[in-house]
Amino acid sequence: MTALLRYQGALLLRSQRWIAPVLLYAAVLVVGIRPGDPVTGSFGIAAGGLLPVTAWLVRIALTGEPDAARHVTAAAAGPVRVHAAALLTGLAAAVLAGAAGSGYVLLTGAGPEPGAGPAGALAVLVCALTGTAVGAVCNRPLLRSPGYAVTGAALGVLLALVVPGSPVHAVLSALVTGARTGAVELSPAAPAGAVLLLVVAGAGSCALAARRG
């Protein structure tokens, strides 16, 4: 699996397709967060902005390999492992972007409210996990058409943001409330739900990749 992760990571880096979503995320941080802003509210922007960027990065990781090369790799290592490696590569890229965004928030924000740092970092992770789950179900092997894939990902991101039971909605609501009250309280159900979503979506897409593989 390590070799597959290195291979997928090299494909992602060499494609340079990651530059656009990373620049978009940087723009969201620079425009949305001003030096001296409260850390809690800034973390809400950093986490919420990472959600669509993660779905984009996962799409890049899943579609970066040409079909012919993908068939060869799947024949050598198995379609499930190859697909899982691509998903993990997209997630790793999103986590790195989120870590950079968290660092920017902590460096430029006002003195953190009690629990704001850990809660904000956890919110960023929840958005990365959920964005990966959205990317897993809105790309190949389930959705092969670029139009359907992009539309599905946009709808999935929107639902994750607005549906009350969503882990993303829960953590962002907690950050907004914390910005008003001065203390952040995050339920452990949100990260657990994000992990569950990713496991279900990832396992389902890997299983379908094996059937179509």
Side-chain angles (χ1 to χ4, degrees), residues 70-159:
R70 180 68 173 247
H71 290 318
V72 173
T73 309
V80 172
R81 296 179 68 204
V82 172
H83 193 77
L87 284 175
L88 291 174
T89 299
L91 173 59
V95 169
L96 288 175
S102 299
Y104 179 78
V105 169
L106 293 174
L107 285 174
T108 61
E113 299 86 347
L122 189 59
V124 168
L125 180 60
V126 166
C127 288
L129 293 171
T130 306
T132 304
V134 171
V137 299
C138 293
N139 289 290
R140 69 179 187 185
L142 184 60
L143 296 178
R144 294 184 176 272
S145 167
Y148 288 136
V150 172
T151 302
L155 180 59
V157 167
L158 179 62
L159 291 175

Side-chain angles (χ1 to χ4, degrees), residues 31-202:
V31 173
I33 300 173
R34 294 174 297 179
D37 282 349
V39 167
T40 304
S42 297
F43 262 122
I45 295 173
L50 185 63
L51 179 63
V53 169
T54 300
W56 191 352
L57 287 169
V58 170
R59 171 164 177 77
I60 293 171
L62 288 175
T63 61
E65 191 176 15
D67 288 340
R70 180 68 173 247
H71 290 318
V72 173
T73 309
V80 172
R81 296 179 68 204
V82 172
H83 193 77
L87 284 175
L88 291 174
T89 299
L91 173 59
V95 169
L96 288 175
S102 299
Y104 179 78
V105 169
L106 293 174
L107 285 174
T108 61
E113 299 86 347
L122 189 59
V124 168
L125 180 60
V126 166
C127 288
L129 293 171
T130 306
T132 304
V134 171
V137 299
C138 293
N139 289 290
R140 69 179 187 185
L142 184 60
L143 296 178
R144 294 184 176 272
S145 167
Y148 288 136
V150 172
T151 302
L155 180 59
V157 167
L158 179 62
L159 291 175
L161 287 170
V162 302
V163 172
S166 162
V168 171
H169 184 274
V171 294
L172 295 183
S173 296
L175 290 175
V176 171
T177 301
R180 292 199 302 262
T181 63
V184 186
E185 295 183 3
L186 274 186
S187 168
V195 171
L196 180 61
L197 280 176
L198 178 55
V199 169
V200 172

